Structures are given as structure tokens and as C-alpha cells.
Amino acid sequence: MKQLDIGVVGAGPAGLAVALFLSRVGHRVEILERFDTPAPVGSGLLMQPTGLTVLAALGLFDTIQTLGNRIDRLHGADAVSGRTVLDVRYDAAPGGRYGLAVQRAALFDTLHDAADGIPVRTGINLISTAQRADRVVLKDQASRDTGDYDLVIDASGARSMLAAGSDRAPSIRDLAYGAFWATLDGAGADYDRTALSQRYDKAKVMIGLLPAGRATVGDPDKVAFFWSLKIADVEAVKTAGLDRWKAVIRDYWPECQPFLDQIDDWDQLSLARYAHRTTLPPYSGNLVFIGDSAHSTSPQLGQGANMALLDAAALSHALASSIDIPSALAAYARARRNHVRLFQMLSLAFTPFYQSDSTAIAWVRDRLVSTIAKVPPMPGFLAAIVAGTVIDPFQSAGLTEHNWLSQRYQADSALPEVAAVRSSAQI
């Protein structure tokens, strides 16, 4: 395909990744960001083998591995009885896969530094597009033209105004439960440094600790702390007071005290709201959606950023292997369709077991599901679900999965010993 003028809306992980892929093969790329200074939003996240493979294809695996914290399993226990009700281990599936918990700042900086040299226009609040011949014109909140391109890639997230105003307006279902998040110091605290650990009281209470590595080399290790709650209850919880909230968590999980001691104000906690969102097909004319502007789910399977990175790779591959933009966008939609639909379905199925008002579902989770999960081949199947690889997402995105067995890991060290390994994928 000829060299294209491409506007990328949004300087988050999806936007930065797709800008990197496309600029490296010669397209003229410009990033447009609504904030005056691009910055990460949120606490920690769990990079899965899918997203890590995309970063490897961009040559960024070593960097993110050095900043992140290796995660070997997801472990959850009933906060009252102490019974284990979730134990998913990556090594239950073959291939040597593992997760990598990272701070959002670490992922953002890794991609942002790599994208140095790609033009970025900031402080631009885009709300609509207009198709003029074979070009896309972007318009701001005052309906002023802010640029025109052969292709516009909307990576502006779940609240995308471009998606809402297009003829592909997404189907959106706001979820009842969200979560308070905070990034806290892990020094002196008692927690499993190789696991995403959670405690539950039925499905109404979920508390979690995710060892999230460091924002920059040399920084102390941080832990992402989260507490699930209904969005409708947020104001009531705040009104009851911070001390009351801490007491509830301490009663469930006393080992959280060192983390609670660091929280002195509600402003230290970020409130995450979740929605199930689908834009079908994920393009309209020469406007294409990736990441949360195309699809989003609850966070139960930890796939959000990973799916966005796969979108970036798949779109880049489609553009490289198609004769024109319409055929490329159709190929991108086909490449991501089955993987996205599967994980949206799985997310909807799993969410009520961990975030709902149902006592019966929680009872089934704690007694029946936790037992079945131990019986082969379920451990391997659950590991593949968590890894994002229950169906192959790589081939359709033009990727070769990273060779996990080539990575040597020092279990007694806070830092992985990274071999100079790159994915063989060529985008």
C-alpha cells in the first residue's frame, strides 16, 4: 500500500503502539491527544503473553520486563473461611508463559519514549469526523477542522466521542461494579510477590493486591491495591469515612494494614468504572477503532491493555498486506473478530462470580467451580483463558508468539534476568 497520512487519536498504549508500528514502515503518522500533556491514567495492570508478544515485536520486551514484576499465578481465597476458591497457574498450560504486572506509568513511558520523533498535537478535544472524498477530516468541539488524513485511527478509549458520533455508534452497557485503586509502597508488607492475590466475601466484596514493579529503573517496588464496590455505593462509603472503610478491609484481610496506613485521603484512590462496549464493525469509512473505543469488558480477565495492543498489531498487519484502505479495514475486523467476541463472552460469564449481588453464584464459585478447576484439563484451559490464548490471537495479527522458554528468571531477585531475545514477528 502507498504511504498514508494517518491521524492517531489518543496517546494511550493502543495509540502509541499503532503509531510506532505504522511510522516504522514509512507512513506519515501524527498523534492527537486531548490532554495538554499526555500521561498514564490508572494504577497497575497485568500484561499477558498476548500484550507482551506485541511489545516484543516492537523491540520493547526487555525494557518492560526490567520494569515489571513476573506473575506466575492468580490466587483468590474466601476472606471469612480462608478457603482457596481461585488458583490459576500459568505453567498449567505448556509453553512457559507467565504474566508481567506493570505500573501504567511504566507501560506508558516505555511506549512514549519509543515513539519519540512522531509528531504529537496536544490539547485537542475531538468530537466528530467528516468524510471528504477519500480523506477523513477531524473536527473539535467547536466544529473546527483540525486536520485531514487518509486514515484516522481512534484509540481514545471507552468514552470515545468519535465512536459515539459515527454511524457505528457502539452498544454500551455500564456495569454496576467498579473499583477503588491505589499504587502503594510494598516495602515491609507481607504479600505474595509472584501472584495476583485476592480475597472475597461472596461476590459483593473483592480486595486485591498486584505486585506492580517500578515506574523507572531504581525506583522501589510498588503494589496496586484495589477494592471492588458498586458504583451506586461510592458516595455512601465515602460519607461513612475513611477509617470505617479501612476497618472493613482490615477485618477481611489484616495483612493489608501496611497498605492502608499509606492512605490518608480519598484523593489517593482512583475510582475505575467499567462498561461492556462493542463497536461493530470496528470501522466507519476511513475511521477505524482500536482498543476500548472498539471493545471493552469488565476487568476480571485482565485483558484490556493486551487486547488493545493486539488490535494495534492486527491493524498494522492488515494495512501492510492489503491493496487499499477498505480491504485493510475489513481484514482487520476479521482478524480480531473471534478473539474479541470470545473474551467479551467469557468476561460477561465470569464477572457475576466475582462482582454481583448473588449469594447463590458465589456459593457455586466457592464449592463447585473451585473443585472442577482442579480436574484436568481445566487447569490448562483456565491458564489459557487468563493468558488470552484460548484461541490463537497471534497469526491473524501477523505475530509469532514470544519464546518464553528462552527467558531465564531469577526467582530470588526482584528483577528478571533478561536475555536479549526478540520476537521473530515482522510487521
Side-chain angles (χ1 to χ4, degrees):
M1 190 181 298
K2 68 175 184 177
Q3 185 183 60
L4 301 175
D5 293 320
I6 299 175
V8 176
V9 181
L16 291 170
V18 78
L20 274 168
F21 276 125
L22 295 174
S23 66
R24 288 179 178 180
V25 294
H27 296 296
R28 295 181 293 270
V29 179
E30 181 175 61
I31 300 172
L32 301 98
E33 168 61 41
R34 69 186 181 96
F35 294 109
D36 292 333
T37 302
V41 177
S43 182
L45 60 88
L46 185 53
M47 298 298 300
Q48 303 292 359
T50 48
L52 291 171
T53 291
V54 177
L55 293 179
L58 288 168
L60 302 176
F61 185 90
D62 290 1
T63 302
I64 201 66
Q65 176 91 333
T66 301
L67 296 172
N69 183 88
R70 174 169 166 158
I71 299 296
D72 291 317
R73 67 172 183 154
L74 280 61
H75 180 264
D78 182 271
V80 178
S81 68
R83 180 193 304 113
T84 293
V85 297
L86 174 72
D87 192 4
V88 179
R89 300 171 182 266
Y90 286 93
D91 63 5
R97 295 174 180 141
Y98 55 87
L100 190 75
V102 301
Q103 294 182 45
R104 288 187 182 272
L107 178 60
F108 174 82
D109 289 344
T110 296
L111 288 162
H112 189 265
D113 290 350
D116 185 39
I118 298 176
V120 180
R121 295 167 59 194
T122 60
I124 301 176
N125 193 11
L126 298 166
I127 63 168
S128 65
T129 64
Q131 188 86 29
R132 294 179 184 168
D134 57 353
R135 305 277 287 187
V136 182
V137 179
L138 286 169
K139 293 180 176 291
D140 64 13
Q141 67 272 28
S143 295
R144 295 173 299 203
D145 292 359
T146 60
D148 68 286
Y149 307 89
D150 296 310
L151 176 67
V152 169
I153 302 171
D154 179 14
S156 60
R159 306 297 173 182
S160 167
M161 295 298 293
L162 297 183
S166 75
D167 61 359
R168 306 296 187 197
S171 167
I172 301 175
R173 173 184 168 187
D174 290 324
L175 300 179
Y177 277 78
F180 280 134
W181 284 84
T183 303
L184 304 167
D185 291 330
D190 181 16
Y191 64 97
D192 189 339
R193 287 164 171 77
T194 65
L196 166 58
S197 301
Q198 298 175 332
R199 296 292 183 273
Y200 318 111
D201 184 2
K202 302 180 178 61
K204 293 182 179 180
V205 172
M206 179 170 65
I207 309 165
L209 296 174
L210 177 67
R214 55 219 67 85
T216 60
V217 174
D219 281 355
D221 287 345
K222 299 288 187 179
V223 175
F225 168 88
F226 60 92
W227 184 62
S228 174
L229 78 167
K230 294 179 76 170
I231 296 298
D233 293 340
V234 169
E235 291 308 315
V237 169
K238 288 186 174 181
T239 299
L242 200 59
D243 289 341
R244 172 59 182 158
W245 176 74
K246 289 184 180 183
V248 170
I249 294 173
R250 185 169 53 247
D251 287 346
Y252 281 125
W253 199 354
E255 289 80 7
C256 284
Q257 187 62 52
F259 302 109
L260 298 174
D261 288 342
Q262 300 175 50
I263 303 173
D264 300 316
D265 192 283
W266 289 114
D267 289 342
Q268 291 175 254
L269 298 166
S270 299
L271 177 62
R273 303 170 186 264
Y274 305 115
H276 186 94
R277 174 192 183 98
T278 308
T279 304
L280 289 175
Y283 61 91
S284 174
N286 287 22
L287 169 65
V288 59
F289 308 103
I290 67 172
D292 282 352
S293 69
H295 49 77
S296 63
T297 65
S298 80
Q300 294 306 321
L301 298 178
Q303 298 296 326
N306 299 281
M307 299 274 274
L309 291 172
L310 282 169
D311 289 349
L315 177 58
S316 304
H317 178 64
L319 287 166
S321 55
S322 302
I323 59 173
D324 56 28
I325 291 175
S327 59
L329 300 189
Y332 158 68
R334 289 194 301 272
R336 296 295 297 132
R337 180 177 57 218
N338 290 340
H339 191 254
V340 167
R341 287 181 178 176
L342 174 62
F343 277 90
Q344 284 192 316
M345 179 191 70
L346 289 171
S347 178
L348 279 177
F350 275 92
T351 293
F353 287 91
Y354 298 95
Q355 288 181 313
S356 72
D357 296 329
S358 174
T359 300
I361 288 178
W363 188 92
V364 170
R365 175 199 69 196
D366 293 352
R367 289 160 179 81
L368 180 60
V369 175
S370 62
T371 300
I372 294 174
K374 300 174 185 177
V375 179
M378 285 303 295
F381 179 66
L382 290 174
I385 289 177
V386 169
T389 57
V390 68
I391 60 173
D392 178 17
F394 301 116
Q395 183 176 5
S396 61
L399 298 167
T400 298
E401 184 175 1
H402 184 72
N403 182 2
W404 311 104
L405 296 177
S406 68
Q407 298 299 126
R408 294 171 298 166
Y409 178 68
Q410 294 176 302
D412 59 346
S413 172
L415 291 175
E417 181 182 346
V418 181
V421 178
R422 292 284 188 264
S423 167
S424 61
Q426 299 294 321
I427 303 297

